[in-house]
Amino acid sequence: MGARLSMAAWAPLGFPTLRLGNGLHIPVLGLGTSHQGGYSHDAVVYALQKCGIRHIDTAKRYGCELLLQKAIKESDVKREDLWITTKLWHSDYGYENTQQACLDSCKRLGVQYLDLYLVHWPNAQVPGKSNREIRAETWRAMEDLYEKGICRSIGVSNFLINHLEQLKEDCKITPHVNQVEYHPFQRPQELVDYCRSRNIVFEGYCPLAKGEALTHPIIIQLAKKYGKTPAQICIRWSIQVFDFNLREEDLEFFDSLNMNKKLIHLTYPLWKG
């Protein structure tokens, strides 16, 4: 889930992790969930029981927090061994709304605390307030949730450099994570470098480019060369997890694939302000 990241540490159970700015360690590889057919109960249980996955990523927007509670219980994995990430949807931005939305997500997930809570998008349509004002107000609520221990770490998603710079000026706590679309066809390197310079862990979502990367001729060719699946090649390119290394000359093939192709599109201008 990271952007060409190296392992910094190993969790007690032997899973690779990265250290956040607050000292906590986040499992590098996580199981993402989504709406529009992106949730499978059996897949979640299998990932937890058979694959050693301990990082589950979801959001209120996806509508599957309650379903995840059931899957986690069925897996018999202890809460303290899990890293649970969920996200605040823009309809809940604002100080009081953010606090209540977090508690509601905890209730749906059946947990007392979140390991990571993310502001899902940089902008919201709030009458009478600028996007910057609503971001600052929302982030102050996130800071309070963090200080109360309800959220063990806090971050943002889909934030650009200007959004992060404004947050730096307006608030106290630097986001621990910025989760952004990242795959062979979409690599915002300037944003990656900026996050690293600020000690913000850059977390990539959509690593398989919604399946488009799995059928690309170059990736299929590399999968055959290494005796791996196209999905393993894509994830191995992003993070250091599996039992094989991509050679330097093969990494150059990936460099040729970058075309700044976003696969996440919305119907209102989230990237302004």
Side-chain angles (χ1 to χ4, degrees):
M1 294 180 67
R4 297 285 293 280
L5 298 174
S6 300
M7 296 302 92
W10 293 80
L13 293 179
F15 304 103
T17 66
L18 279 173
R19 187 180 187 276
L20 300 181
N22 62 356
L24 296 182
H25 285 83
I26 181 173
V28 170
L29 186 63
L31 180 66
T33 59
S34 182
H35 50 286
Q36 297 179 343
Y39 182 81
S40 167
H41 173 85
D42 291 342
V44 174
V45 174
Y46 185 86
L48 291 171
Q49 290 183 336
K50 305 296 184 182
C51 302
I53 290 292
R54 291 297 180 266
H55 180 174
I56 302 293
D57 182 284
T58 189
K60 175 187 176 179
R61 174 71 176 90
Y62 305 158
C64 59
E65 290 174 326
L66 192 59
L67 297 173
L68 275 170
Q69 177 183 167
K70 180 181 177 182
I72 291 170
K73 286 182 179 179
E74 186 175 324
S75 75
D76 287 328
V77 175
K78 296 179 181 179
R79 171 65 184 97
E80 57 266 30
D81 292 335
L82 289 173
W83 182 281
I84 297 178
T85 298
T86 193
K87 308 176 193 75
L88 174 74
W89 190 234
H90 67 86
S91 59
D92 293 320
Y93 289 1
Y95 186 86
E96 293 181 358
N97 288 344
T98 294
Q99 298 232 347
Q100 187 60 51
C102 178
L103 296 176
D104 291 344
S105 282
C106 286
K107 183 177 180 180
R108 287 189 292 269
L109 287 162
V111 299
Q112 298 299 312
Y113 65 90
L114 298 172
D115 297 286
L116 176 60
Y117 198 36
L118 302 177
V119 178
H120 207 148
W121 294 103
N123 291 1
Q125 309 297 311
V126 178
K129 292 186 178 180
S130 69
N131 286 316
R132 179 171 183 170
E133 288 173 327
I134 198 65
R135 278 195 297 270
E137 181 182 336
T138 298
W139 190 250
R140 283 192 287 272
M142 299 284 285
E143 291 176 330
D144 286 349
L145 288 166
Y146 173 66
E147 291 173 352
K148 292 175 182 177
I150 299 173
C151 302
R152 297 178 69 222
S153 51
I154 52 177
V156 296
S157 184
N158 303 296
F159 274 45
L160 303 179
I161 292 174
N162 65 301
H163 302 132
L164 294 169
E165 279 290 299
Q166 290 174 357
L167 213 57
K168 178 182 177 182
E169 295 173 4
D170 298 337
C171 302
K172 297 183 299 181
I173 299 175
T174 299
H176 301 122
V177 170
N178 185 19
Q179 187 183 106
V180 178
E181 182 178 346
Y182 188 89
H183 49 74
F185 311 134
Q186 169 64 18
R187 284 175 283 156
Q189 193 58 46
E190 184 179 1
L191 180 58
V192 172
D193 294 340
Y194 173 87
C195 288
R196 284 176 172 165
S197 72
R198 293 282 316 283
N199 200 24
I200 300 170
V201 167
F202 183 98
E203 185 179 36
Y205 68 77
C206 210
L208 308 182
K210 290 195 170 182
E212 290 188 24
L214 305 182
T215 58
H216 194 282
I218 288 179
I219 295 174
I220 291 175
Q221 177 184 350
L222 290 174
K224 292 178 179 178
K225 175 179 179 179
Y226 288 91
K228 304 294 181 180
T229 66
Q232 287 175 313
I233 294 294
C234 288
I235 295 174
R236 182 61 183 81
W237 166 77
S238 297
I239 54 178
Q240 314 283 347
V241 195
F242 298 134
D243 59 350
F244 68 100
N245 294 313
L246 294 176
R247 297 175 181 173
E248 190 64 33
E249 62 266 26
D250 294 328
L251 292 176
E252 293 177 0
F253 283 124
F254 276 93
D255 292 338
S256 69
L257 299 180
N258 185 27
M259 58 184 76
N260 293 319
K261 181 180 182 181
K262 287 185 178 295
L263 299 175
I264 307 300
H265 300 285
L266 295 172
T267 56
Y268 48 89
L270 289 171
W271 304 102
K272 295 181 181 179

